[in-house]
Amino acid sequence: MNWTPDRHSHLSLHIQIVEWITTRIEQGEWPVGTKLPPQRKLAELLGVNRSTIIEVLDELKADGLLEMKRGAGTFVSNNSWNILLNKSQPNWHKHIQASIHKPNYHTIQLINEYEQDSSIIRLGTGELSPDLLPTKLLEQSLQAISLNARDIGYSEPKGSKRLRIILSEYLQKRGIHTSPESILIVSGALQALQLISVGLLEQQSIVFQEYPSYLNSVHPFQSAGMQMVSVERNERLVETLKVIRGKKQSLFYTVPTLHNPTGSNLTPLERKELLEICAELQIPIIEDDVYYELLFEESLPAMKSLDQTGQVLYLGSVSKTLSPGLRIGWVVAPEPVIKRLADIKMQTDYGSSAFSQEIVAHWLSTGLYEEHVVRLRQQLKERALFVEDILNKDFSQIATWENSMGGFYIWLRFNEPVVNKALFLKLIKQNVLINPGYIYDPSDWHHIRLSYAYATLEELKEGLTILLGVIKSESSFML
């Protein structure tokens, strides 16, 4: 033993000796069971006071690296290597548990996992089937797009100026009159919600929503410290909002056209009334309008088209119509709000994909997009009718539903509360994946969000047959 602590070091003698003994154990020089010299001898060898050695040994015993055997001395502990291994690795579990972002429901984590399995029949997926994506046309459009160096660099904070100009013209068909400066390009509508949650609200703000709600299946506001409150649109809505909000900041999130998950629509009058109520209480509205182009019949007005005071933050996207992989959406809002969200976005990802923005700009400006949407609506309508025929034939005695008015979904309600975690897991074992109602409203054991947009017709038929069989075996339905 020829080491002694450095009395000129910025580290104390105590710390130096602790690190020295720990290193001897880590490097295997002092294996398990090694007996240390007596305290007096160790103090003499290291040139320190015995009191310093006593403090060092007490600390290492408390850490579990050393153990005292009465009458025999001090030894390297049997568990020392495990302790050192754990100490050398970050405690990731502790980091995860203490992190800001809320974990998603286990059911949704399983949905995200099993959606990657090609053998699974996906009865709830909010995504277009690969068969419905205009893959060939997208490939051809890549050849028609002319790029320069600036096009494929970082875009402006608000996104591609060209795309924003095209969008401002395109949105006029929706009755929304806005300048390019009041549009922000985002990586899908979900990113817009995340930006709003950290950019426009203080902690413990109230986010109102109707139930069931898509927001319960993702946590952009919850993770930012907001309180989610589900409310009913009835004659007491004004008083309800006023009492719950108190003096806190608040927003009202709504999907008035082809609501997710129910597929329902607010009437023009209901839209006007909700806008007036929120305007009276000075509660901004987030209008999530990503499905409106998929209405089977005549389009309904956007709430933003009725907005004269900048009350509505409007969200759009091509994820539900053109391709989710492009990750292109937009926010329309007053210019100060857009500047604020753009600043946060630049701090987050330095802009959405330049290539994707060029593709979307090309499709919107050439008419390719509108031609595609017309075809897509017809294909989705055929799928909806196919599923409704199966429901009428096999499910009419055990469930109720409204025929789809567009989009992806049928909100299927079983007469008995059978839609629980056990049903979800049993269906997975039979290679069928559903979106149960309880991920949109924790107290809902009756509903399934049934999607006709992703699975093939053959898979839809097979999946519904399996669903019916499991329901029969697990419930008291008299079929």
Side-chain angles (χ1 to χ4, degrees), residues 420-467:
N420 51 33
K421 184 75 171 287
L423 176 71
F424 173 80
L425 294 174
K426 283 169 185 171
L427 286 167
I428 284 180
K429 288 182 179 179
Q430 298 196 44
N431 287 339
V432 173
L433 190 61
I434 62 169
N435 279 41
Y438 63 78
I439 67 175
Y440 307 107
D441 177 357
S443 63
D444 186 352
W445 309 107
H446 286 271
H447 285 94
I448 286 175
R449 188 186 79 173
L450 182 58
S451 170
Y452 47 79
Y454 189 85
T456 65
L457 298 184
E458 294 77 12
E459 288 174 335
L460 287 168
K461 184 174 182 180
E462 181 183 353
L464 287 169
T465 299
I466 293 171
L467 172 62

Side-chain angles (χ1 to χ4, degrees), residues 30-299:
W30 290 4
V32 171
T34 297
K35 182 178 179 180
L36 273 65
Q39 294 173 1
R40 288 185 185 278
K41 180 66 174 176
L42 195 54
E44 181 183 333
L45 290 171
L46 297 179
V48 297
N49 294 329
R50 185 185 173 202
S51 60
T52 301
I53 295 300
I54 290 173
E55 291 176 5
V56 167
L57 297 182
D58 285 345
E59 179 176 331
L60 292 172
K61 289 173 193 173
D63 288 344
L65 294 179
L66 300 179
E67 59 183 348
M68 175 71 77
K69 295 182 181 179
R70 188 175 297 277
T74 304
F75 297 81
V76 176
S77 167
N78 287 332
N79 197 38
S80 59
W81 280 16
N82 287 334
I83 291 169
L84 287 171
L85 178 62
N86 290 335
K87 281 195 167 186
S88 68
Q89 298 174 339
N91 187 341
W92 287 118
H93 181 71
K94 184 176 180 180
H95 280 278
I96 291 167
Q97 290 296 108
S99 65
I100 294 173
H101 208 286
K102 303 294 183 185
N104 219 330
Y105 298 127
H106 182 239
T107 295
I108 299 175
Q109 293 179 13
L110 289 175
I111 290 172
N112 293 335
E113 175 185 343
Y114 279 98
E115 281 188 335
Q116 310 311 311
D117 185 342
S118 59
S119 67
I120 288 283
I121 297 174
R122 294 159 60 171
L123 291 185
T125 297
E127 181 183 341
L128 287 174
S129 165
D131 295 338
L132 297 178
L133 297 176
T135 308
K136 289 294 183 184
L137 288 173
L138 281 168
E139 187 177 346
Q140 292 170 13
S141 67
L142 292 175
Q143 306 298 319
I145 295 173
S146 176
L147 298 175
N148 59 47
R150 290 184 62 84
D151 293 333
I152 57 175
Y154 292 125
S155 63
E156 298 180 37
K158 295 180 183 180
S160 160
K161 183 68 174 289
R162 175 170 177 258
L163 176 56
R164 288 186 287 118
I165 291 171
I166 292 168
L167 274 171
S168 68
E169 296 172 356
Y170 182 77
L171 289 170
Q172 289 183 31
K173 301 173 184 178
R174 186 83 176 110
I176 298 171
H177 300 279
T178 186
S179 73
E181 297 309 309
S182 293
I183 298 175
L184 171 67
I185 306 301
V186 290
S187 299
L190 181 55
Q191 186 187 49
L193 296 174
Q194 292 167 332
L195 295 174
I196 291 168
S197 70
V198 298
L200 300 180
L201 293 171
E202 61 189 12
Q203 291 223 339
Q204 296 305 309
S205 295
I206 305 292
V207 178
F208 293 106
Q209 60 182 352
E210 299 162 88
Y211 58 86
S213 176
Y214 160 72
L215 283 188
N216 288 332
S217 67
V218 291
H219 293 149
F221 291 103
Q222 297 93 318
S223 295
M226 311 304 152
Q227 300 179 58
M228 307 301 300
V229 178
S230 297
V231 295
E232 287 190 63
R233 284 182 300 98
N234 55 30
E235 65 278 0
R236 299 192 307 275
L237 181 58
V238 173
E239 189 61 28
T240 299
L241 296 178
K242 190 181 299 184
V243 169
I244 295 175
R245 180 190 63 174
K247 295 183 179 180
K248 294 181 180 178
Q249 287 186 342
S250 58
L251 289 172
F252 196 112
Y253 172 80
T254 183
V255 189
T257 304
L258 297 174
H259 177 268
N260 183 9
T262 67
S264 62
N265 294 310
L266 296 188
T267 66
L269 179 58
E270 288 171 330
R271 294 164 193 251
K272 184 173 181 292
E273 289 176 345
L274 179 58
L275 182 60
E276 289 174 349
I277 287 171
C278 289
E280 177 186 340
L281 300 176
Q282 294 186 311
I283 298 176
I285 294 173
I286 302 174
E287 180 182 13
D288 192 338
D289 204 29
V290 299
Y291 293 98
Y292 85 90
E293 290 165 309
L294 301 179
L295 273 166
F296 295 155
E297 304 302 331
E298 187 175 353
S299 182

